[in-house]
Amino acid sequence: MRLDMPSGWPRRQFSFNGNFDSIPGFNGNWEISESQDWRGFAHVAIPAFSGKRQPYSFVRALMRNATSRSFKLAIAPGVTSSRLSTLLALQRVEEPDTAIRFFEVTSDELVAGLREGRYDAGMSLQDVSIPSLSSQPLWRESMAIAVPPQFHLPSQAKLTIAELRDYPVYRWPAEICPLLDQRLSSLVPEDQQHIQYVTSFELLALWVAAGHGVGVSAQSRIQRADGWGIAMRLLSDGPYEVVTHLQRLHQPANSVVERFERRALQVAGADTA
């Protein structure tokens, strides 16, 4: 059964796949009620019941169905969690009635899902140059070197990529930084296994803490892993940065996506202020 609002009222439709006649007390009529959400009062048609015993839980569920919204967000590996958690907390506070559905996907799956309409928006460290997609840079983070506390590196606080020539370097490729990869690949011939690729930052930190080499990763991740037995050195050349992008279809976005993008830019602006 599909219900439509009267002419001139906010257009809302919802379906109920059941038999109202089987619900005790239903008198065959419909009443118009109103439920307050972030836009004010939304008028909703609900079934009318006779008698004192009303199936209120059913009515509340029906009204939630009429006013609820969802936002499908795809997240690619490597997106820094501190700023993302700030954004999601702001989204929850300012728009509590919009349910967020998360999808952890690769960068390629994110792009395909946006183009096919499976996701409303996506966040990735990979910029895209596709006419149908918008890619908005949000926040940047510098890369740094993770070292074991007793590792024999020069004692200065800042190092260059060239000074890592004599050490195995662990790299998590999800943290996309083309300039860094270009400089690392130029250190030694390609046939020597100088760069060791891992599938997560946790594995990078494990190998570094065990003294097998050094790692290059986002500063915030290395700082949070201070208790894991690794220390941080800054990079003096570069800049080596990872950039988080918000991606969506170029066509006019729905209001939920537009508000999420505004909040993402707000978090990015506060971070650089």
Side-chain angles (χ1 to χ4, degrees), residues 9-204:
W9 286 24
R11 303 302 300 169
R12 291 179 181 271
Q13 298 180 352
F14 58 97
S15 298
F16 174 71
N17 296 320
N19 183 6
F20 286 112
D21 296 333
S22 65
I23 301 176
F26 177 52
N27 62 20
N29 298 316
W30 291 88
E31 296 178 347
I32 302 300
S33 183
E34 52 187 12
S35 174
Q36 188 174 21
D37 63 6
W38 64 273
R39 288 167 293 190
F41 284 96
H43 299 282
V44 181
I46 62 173
F49 296 86
S50 60
K52 295 183 179 180
R53 299 185 62 183
Q54 306 286 342
Y56 290 113
S57 60
F58 167 78
V59 175
R60 286 196 297 268
L62 194 60
M63 294 175 68
R64 282 197 301 270
N65 182 48
T67 58
S68 63
R69 296 169 301 279
S70 65
F71 174 57
K72 299 184 290 293
L73 179 64
I75 301 176
V79 175
T80 49
S81 60
S82 58
R83 295 173 181 86
L84 179 56
S85 62
T86 300
L87 170 59
L88 296 179
L90 183 63
Q91 173 77 13
R92 177 181 57 82
V93 170
E94 294 191 353
E95 201 162 331
D97 292 335
T98 298
I100 302 182
R101 297 177 59 193
F102 298 99
F103 301 86
E104 296 182 64
V105 298
T106 66
S107 296
D108 291 341
E109 290 170 340
L110 187 153
V111 170
L114 288 174
R115 300 178 72 176
E116 295 168 5
R118 288 184 280 118
Y119 313 128
D120 296 310
M123 304 192 74
S124 171
L125 297 183
Q126 181 175 352
D127 194 8
V128 294
S129 299
I130 300 175
S132 61
L133 295 183
S134 167
S135 185
Q136 171 68 53
L138 295 177
W139 46 78
R140 301 173 180 269
E141 183 164 2
S142 296
M143 305 288 276
I145 305 171
V147 300
Q150 306 302 322
F151 211 62
H152 301 294
L153 273 168
S155 59
Q156 65 264 29
K158 294 185 177 182
L159 300 170
T160 66
I161 290 295
E163 290 176 293
L164 305 180
R165 183 183 305 273
D166 298 327
Y167 308 96
V169 177
Y170 289 89
R171 176 88 172 93
W172 181 30
E175 294 182 317
I176 299 171
C177 182
L179 179 60
L180 173 64
D181 290 327
Q182 178 184 345
R183 296 282 177 85
L184 285 174
S185 63
S186 67
L187 291 181
V188 294
E190 292 185 2
D191 58 348
Q192 297 185 25
Q193 294 183 348
H194 178 72
I195 311 300
Q196 303 291 327
Y197 293 101
V198 295
T199 58
S200 68
F201 172 77
E202 287 74 16
L203 283 175
L204 181 151

Side-chain angles (χ1 to χ4, degrees), residues 246-258:
L246 176 64
Q247 293 157 350
R248 62 175 178 82
L249 287 177
H250 251 312
Q251 66 188 34
N254 63 50
S255 57
V256 175
V257 176
E258 288 178 346

